[in-house]
Amino acid sequence: MSNLLSFLGVTEEEEEAYRALLRRGSASAASGRQETGAPHGERRGAEAADGPRPGAGAAEAGREVLERLLVLGLATGGAHGVIRAVPPARAVDALVESRLRTLREELETEATRRSVIESLFMECWTAVPPPHDDQAGEGQMIAQLHGIDAVREAIDELTFFARTEDLTTEPTGVLAEESIAVSHPINMRLLRRGVRLRTIMGAAILQDEPTLTYMRELVSHGAEVRVSHQPIERVIIVDRSAALTPIDPAHTARGALLVREPGLVATLVTLFERMWEAAEELPSEEVDLPSDVERDILAMLREADKDETAARQLGMSVRTYRKHLAALMRRLGAANRVEAALLAHEKGWLG
């Protein structure tokens, strides 16, 4: 049989084992033997047709190839050491993704080895600057970058050379489709290189599905994302050696300050850490439904005018009632109680 999956890095032995697993249904990880799930007599007949049971050496080889199938994503492990074949469409898709990741890493490594980006950036650094040029030179401690294009160029440069950490905030909590398209390849490149990526998002992310989906994708690849229910400052810090802050926080499109002065960068890192500690973990995709107590509290938003009245009807202290309510509002991303009631109704948390 020809090795059809060789272009995806699968050996002929691995492909044959995967095909056999598809035919038989499952295999025992302990013995390396593949099973059909048929009655004992039928399995014995199948074994006779396929040949005698393998010896110790063959069984060990069988276990090894099954382990390779697990690593390749062609098989999954189940209870009691049973290994099953991944459906062909999913298996091939996983192989393609793995091959693309490997190829991208090889190309990025070669680009780094050849100093391609550094060589191209030298064309910018050695160019004669025009009058009033506001691009930051290599040794400039603080520089103004005017316009969104100049800021994006600076982000590209800083993140390409990032080695350990990238810290970012997004006060609005919402990213435009264009922003996601621009930042996605940059962030994925950082994560593939093992750079620690931490992001703080404004609470509005909880109501914006595209941004929420994007952030959860980054988390699935190793990023750390938190949500702040308090106002946060906009900042990007790379390797704790360079930072970007807006020239005008109210109009970020005007440009940014590129800061390399160690004392100022250290201050911005401290600010980020304080915002990080005050923020909450990004909720998982499967958010737990409210408890009976929480449902009762949400119902009180429509039935009771005062916290004291609601707490008395529920048989709890006002302090406990308000504590539960504040937690619910954070989960819902609500700015006030009216909005909390509306959002809870939209989620089906209220009858």
Side-chain angles (χ1 to χ4, degrees):
M1 177 183 298
S2 61
N3 186 194
L4 294 179
L5 299 179
S6 60
F7 75 102
L8 292 174
V10 180
T11 67
E12 184 174 355
E13 180 184 32
E14 291 162 351
E15 180 175 340
E16 177 54 34
Y18 174 62
R19 289 178 179 273
L21 202 57
L22 287 171
R23 291 194 300 271
R24 293 177 177 272
S26 65
S28 168
S31 66
R33 291 182 55 232
Q34 295 172 350
E35 307 292 347
T36 62
H40 182 69
E42 293 182 28
R43 288 205 304 271
R44 183 176 299 169
E47 289 168 358
D50 290 341
R53 291 184 179 181
E60 180 63 27
R63 284 193 294 271
E64 290 179 358
V65 73
L66 285 176
E67 290 174 359
R68 297 206 299 273
L69 294 186
L70 290 170
V71 172
L72 288 168
L74 297 177
T76 58
H80 309 298
V82 175
I83 295 176
R84 300 186 182 280
V86 170
R90 282 176 48 200
V92 173
D93 183 62
L95 289 172
V96 170
E97 286 297 318
S98 176
R99 182 64 178 145
L100 287 174
R101 283 196 301 270
T102 300
L103 182 58
R104 179 183 289 274
E105 289 170 2
E106 291 174 355
L107 292 173
E108 288 181 351
T109 299
E110 185 63 14
T112 300
R113 187 184 71 82
R114 294 172 178 263
S115 300
V116 173
I117 302 297
E118 293 89 334
S119 175
L120 295 175
F121 270 122
M122 283 302 296
E123 301 298 332
C124 302
W125 293 336
T126 58
V128 177
H132 309 296
D133 185 276
D134 59 8
Q135 298 298 313
E138 186 175 12
Q140 203 167 345
M141 292 295 97
I142 303 177
Q144 290 190 4
L145 306 176
H146 292 290
I148 193 66
D149 291 337
V151 174
R152 284 177 176 171
E153 286 179 13
I155 293 174
D156 284 344
E157 178 181 348
L158 291 173
T159 55
F160 181 84
F161 292 108
R163 292 293 176 265
T164 59
E165 186 179 54
D166 183 87
L167 312 175
T168 64
T169 66
E170 177 49 62
T172 68
V174 176
L175 295 175
E177 184 178 346
E178 180 187 4
S179 296
I180 293 176
V182 170
S183 65
H184 183 271
I186 294 174
N187 287 329
M188 293 303 296
R189 184 176 66 205
L190 289 170
L191 293 170
R192 282 194 301 271
R193 293 210 315 264
V195 175
R196 187 184 184 191
L197 181 61
R198 288 194 286 161
T199 301
I200 307 174
M201 302 294 294
I205 185 180
L206 301 176
Q207 309 303 323
D208 189 77
E209 195 61 34
T211 304
L212 194 57
T213 299
Y214 172 48
M215 287 294 120
R216 283 174 174 158
E217 178 188 359
L218 293 183
V219 169
S220 71
H221 287 86
E224 300 169 64
V225 179
R226 289 190 178 183
V227 179
S228 176
H229 295 275
Q230 301 297 325
I232 56 177
E233 303 299 325
R234 188 183 299 273
V235 65
I236 298 174
I237 307 170
V238 178
D239 287 346
R240 305 197 173 206
S241 61
L244 284 166
T245 61
I247 293 175
D248 182 353
H251 302 90
T252 56
R254 287 186 54 192
L257 295 176
L258 174 55
V259 180
R260 298 183 187 273
E261 202 284 320
L264 289 178
V265 173
T267 299
L268 291 172
V269 170
T270 300
L271 173 63
F272 179 90
E273 295 294 354
R274 288 176 179 172
M275 293 188 294
W276 180 262
E277 289 301 320
E280 300 177 351
E281 295 291 337
L282 183 73
S284 61
E285 191 166 4
E286 296 297 330
V287 179
D288 294 334
L289 292 175
S291 65
D292 291 341
V293 172
E294 290 174 326
R295 288 182 187 276
D296 290 340
I297 289 173
L298 288 170
M300 284 295 105
L301 294 178
R302 297 185 301 184
E303 299 173 11
D305 295 333
K306 297 180 179 181
D307 290 350
E308 291 77 8
T309 303
R312 185 170 57 253
Q313 291 186 29
L314 295 176
M316 62 178 67
S317 69
V318 175
R319 182 177 180 181
T320 300
Y321 173 82
R322 288 173 176 169
K323 182 178 178 180
H324 280 300
L325 181 57
L328 280 168
M329 289 175 64
R330 285 196 298 270
R331 283 178 62 185
L332 290 164
N336 53 57
R337 300 178 184 210
V338 173
E339 186 179 5
L342 290 173
L343 291 173
H345 180 72
E346 290 177 1
K347 288 178 175 291
W349 289 6
L350 293 172

